[in-house]
Amino acid sequence: MFPASMLLAASTALVGQLRGPPQTSQDVRNSIPLIYREAQGPDYQRIADLRVQAFCPHLVSTGSKYLQARLFHDTMRTKTAVLVASTSAFAGGDIAASADLLVVQPPGTKPGDPPAAQHYDVQPSTCCYVSNVCVATSARRRGIGRKLMALALQRAAALRADQLVLHVEKDNVAAGQLYASMGFEPELLHPTMREVFTAPPFVDPAAPEQWLLSMHVTTNAGAGDLNSQQARNAPS
């Protein structure tokens, strides 16, 4: 269970690892229904720009922003999937939120091996790691982060992962509340996988103190068509 301090009411609606009040030029209006989907290559530049605004508000010069955006762009190509909430079902729409997924298999296995047996409490099992979760400033307080994580659960189930894993900074109370309400807990991982996710490249020794959270992925995880539900809830 989380400490009581993490369950206090939060004063902000931060999602994932988003910190501070970044500005964004993407005006994702409330009247525009969002599509939850996997990103395509042409989406990457918009996602990279959003992440620069969200995670790097200290960058001022055009050159430094460009270099950081290129780093985000190139890193996305190493992920199993990049998820977005977009104003379009196709590449080219505005990006309201994004997150990366990476399948991580237990030590000793190699790419192409079948997922490890789903007994995470007895032996190491295949995990799906979520990172770079962010929501545009103009799109917050609409439940977008929760829907994006529901999509992450769906994709993790499709990838035959046994657990969904993420880090969240300990002082990010709002994100902690969100994840706790979805079923994430701090002590579910097998010790072998905990060792994997508490070492580089999954942690930065210079980063603020973080929780390592995970939840079991069931075969019907995140069941339901998020986009159909979004359409039903859209204003007429």
Side-chain angles (χ1 to χ4, degrees):
M1 297 297 292
F2 291 104
S5 59
M6 181 169 286
L7 301 180
L8 296 175
S11 59
T12 57
L14 300 179
V15 175
Q17 298 176 33
L18 181 60
R19 296 179 57 80
Q23 300 298 310
T24 175
S25 60
Q26 298 184 38
D27 180 16
V28 185
R29 293 170 291 176
N30 290 341
S31 61
I32 300 177
L34 296 174
I35 301 297
Y36 295 83
R37 60 176 175 81
E38 286 196 28
Q40 304 169 47
D43 292 311
Y44 284 5
Q45 187 58 54
R46 288 177 180 264
I47 298 169
D49 290 342
L50 173 62
R51 291 179 179 179
V52 169
Q53 295 160 357
F55 300 130
C56 309
H58 59 284
L59 297 180
V60 177
S61 71
T62 300
S64 60
K65 290 180 180 180
Y66 171 80
L67 292 175
Q68 183 61 59
R70 289 305 309 171
L71 179 60
F72 282 131
H73 188 286
D74 293 344
T75 300
M76 280 183 266
R77 298 187 181 279
T78 70
K79 304 301 181 180
T80 305
V82 179
L83 309 181
V84 294
S86 173
T87 57
S88 173
F90 307 99
D94 287 338
I95 303 299
S98 70
D100 294 339
L101 291 184
L102 179 67
V103 170
V104 181
Q105 292 190 301
T109 60
K110 61 183 183 298
D113 285 350
Q118 296 190 359
H119 299 287
Y120 65 89
D121 54 339
V122 177
Q123 66 186 65
S125 59
T126 301
C127 297
C128 200
Y129 184 72
V130 187
S131 61
N132 292 320
V133 181
C134 64
V135 177
T137 303
S138 59
R140 294 181 189 171
R141 300 185 183 276
R142 293 170 54 187
I144 293 171
R146 183 178 295 275
K147 291 186 178 73
L148 194 67
M149 292 305 298
L151 178 59
L153 277 169
Q154 288 181 353
R155 291 295 185 266
L159 292 164
R160 298 177 62 194
D162 190 42
Q163 288 184 284
L164 196 63
V165 183
L166 55 82
H167 282 94
V168 61
E169 293 178 9
K170 289 188 175 182
D171 63 355
N172 193 343
V173 180
Q177 286 183 311
L178 170 64
Y179 296 137
S181 71
M182 296 187 70
F184 284 90
E185 297 185 35
E187 300 295 339
L188 289 180
L189 281 174
H190 185 278
T192 298
M193 298 309 291
R194 174 171 288 275
E195 185 175 348
V196 168
F197 288 114
T198 53
F202 297 101
V203 295
D204 179 355
E209 196 172 5
Q210 298 177 323
W211 296 105
L212 175 62
L213 308 178
S214 62
M215 67 177 295
H216 184 56
V217 177
T218 60
T219 54
N220 63 344
D225 188 334
L226 292 172
N227 295 319
S228 294
Q229 179 182 8
Q230 184 78 4
R232 289 195 299 271
N233 294 337
S236 56

